[in-house]
Amino acid sequence: MRYDLDDLRLFVHVVTEGSITAGARRMHLSLPSASARVRSLEHHAGVELLVRGRRGVRPTPAGSTLARHARDVLDQTVRMESAVAGYVRPSVAPLVLLAGGSAMHRLVPQALAAFLRERPEVDVTVAERRTPQTLHLLADGGADLGIVLDGESRDSGLRTERLGDDSIVVIGQAGGVLAERATMTYREVAEHPLVGLDAQSSLQQWIEKHLGAHAPAARYRTLVGDLTTLIALVAAGVGLAVVPRRAIPPELALDVRELQDPWARRHHLLCWGTRSPSSPAALAALAEHLRAASR
């Protein structure tokens, strides 16, 4: 026996609403058309599916069984269509977003998740780059948007706007060696065992660049590849760490102290590339999600 999906959808609506009239309305059908479809279902099933009364309809045992299986069939159909749609090539080229390690930790994932749910027809290519590399690619048309640091993006000639604070702080286990301190210099921080990011990370390279040749000798208990692991080790009491304030999960109990060094105060900027995007509206939407995530 073959069933029409629209007939099954109508029957589920009728059973849910308890009324053929209401089911017809949900399917944008006339009442005579909906009634004919229901009668056709009963004819093909060879059994009465609805008990009709002055106050509406209710399913017979056979009707309840059909409605239950119809819901399963319709749910499976939606999943099938969604799975197949995942192979459809988007009609526009992917947007390209570049950002440093700090922004990639929480800001970019939060904005990207909201944007991709809202715009299923648009893909986004994301890559971690230091600010000089990001500015070069944006200027050469190799990217659409970038999140850069204010101190390294002056005189770029590119359109920018302030996105949010990205100051560097020192963190330690709650109630540990930072408990009695209000602020510290990096040189004082380096007197304690540290946990750091590996040498290839954009944040570690940025810190070492500003410390220069006069950087104090520091003992790193370990070097890790991401901020999530770094912060977890600090919370466990392995050592202190220097991280962007915005990377610290608000629910995590840590001692957080300002760094007195001038280079520790910095801001994120949103920066636009020079190429014409294939979808200006999508680019504007991505920028708005980045603004929202930075608040």
Side-chain angles (χ1 to χ4, degrees):
M1 186 181 300
R2 299 177 63 182
Y3 288 96
D4 181 89
L5 290 177
D6 284 339
D7 287 348
L8 293 179
R9 194 172 286 110
L10 169 64
F11 187 74
V12 168
H13 287 321
V14 169
V15 171
T16 301
E17 298 289 345
S19 164
I20 295 178
T21 301
R25 187 181 304 114
R26 291 189 63 174
M27 289 291 292
H28 306 289
L29 295 172
S30 66
L31 179 57
S33 176
S35 296
R37 283 175 175 262
V38 172
R39 285 195 300 271
S40 177
L41 269 177
E42 290 179 314
H43 174 74
H44 285 296
V47 65
E48 191 177 58
L49 299 174
L50 295 173
V51 177
R52 294 160 174 82
R54 288 187 298 176
R55 296 187 177 182
V57 298
R58 57 184 174 83
T60 64
S64 294
T65 299
L66 177 64
R68 183 175 69 254
H69 286 287
R71 290 188 181 96
D72 291 341
V73 168
L74 294 171
D75 287 344
Q76 288 286 350
T77 301
V78 170
R79 286 194 286 271
M80 177 187 69
E81 291 173 345
S82 177
V84 173
Y87 292 94
V88 176
R89 187 175 296 277
S91 58
V92 297
L95 297 175
V96 178
L97 170 65
L98 307 177
S102 171
M104 291 289 285
H105 178 60
R106 295 179 67 194
L107 192 160
V108 168
Q110 182 180 337
L112 201 58
F115 173 80
L116 292 175
R117 285 195 303 265
E118 179 185 287
R119 304 298 292 263
E121 79 285 3
V122 182
D123 294 341
V124 182
T125 299
V126 183
E128 180 176 334
R129 296 288 186 272
R130 296 182 61 202
T131 290
Q133 297 170 301
T134 295
L135 293 172
H136 175 75
L137 288 167
L138 288 169
D140 283 358
D144 297 291
L145 274 178
I147 300 176
V148 298
L149 296 172
D150 55 349
E152 297 185 317
S153 58
R154 297 187 182 95
D155 304 320
S156 68
L158 298 171
R159 172 189 168 195
T160 62
E161 68 173 74
R162 180 71 67 91
L163 196 59
D165 180 75
D166 192 48
S167 294
I168 305 296
V169 296
V170 58
I171 60 173
Q173 185 181 37
V177 297
L178 299 181
E180 303 301 322
R181 301 297 302 267
T183 64
M184 298 179 74
T185 64
Y186 182 83
R187 186 168 293 277
E188 291 173 313
V189 173
E191 295 173 358
H192 301 273
L194 301 179
V195 182
L197 293 173
D198 63 50
Q200 301 306 312
S201 74
S202 57
L203 177 61
Q204 193 66 24
Q205 291 181 23
W206 188 88
I207 292 172
E208 290 176 0
K209 171 187 173 182
H210 285 81
L211 291 174
H214 302 292
R219 177 197 171 196
Y220 282 97
R221 301 291 313 282
T222 187
L223 298 176
V224 297
D226 61 88
L227 284 165
T228 299
T229 304
L230 181 79
I231 294 170
L233 290 172
V234 172
V238 174
L240 304 181
V242 174
V243 300
R245 181 188 292 278
R246 70 178 309 118
I248 305 169
E251 70 278 4
L252 199 59
L254 291 168
D255 284 339
V256 182
R257 299 294 181 265
E258 302 284 346
L259 279 176
Q260 297 174 7
D261 306 75
W263 52 263
R265 291 179 288 278
R266 62 185 199 173
H267 287 84
H268 276 148
L269 302 179
L270 188 59
C271 189
W272 276 259
T274 56
R275 73 177 182 182
S276 298
S278 55
S279 176
L283 181 61
L286 178 57
E288 183 54 40
H289 280 290
L290 289 167
R291 294 186 193 102
S294 70
R295 297 186 186 115

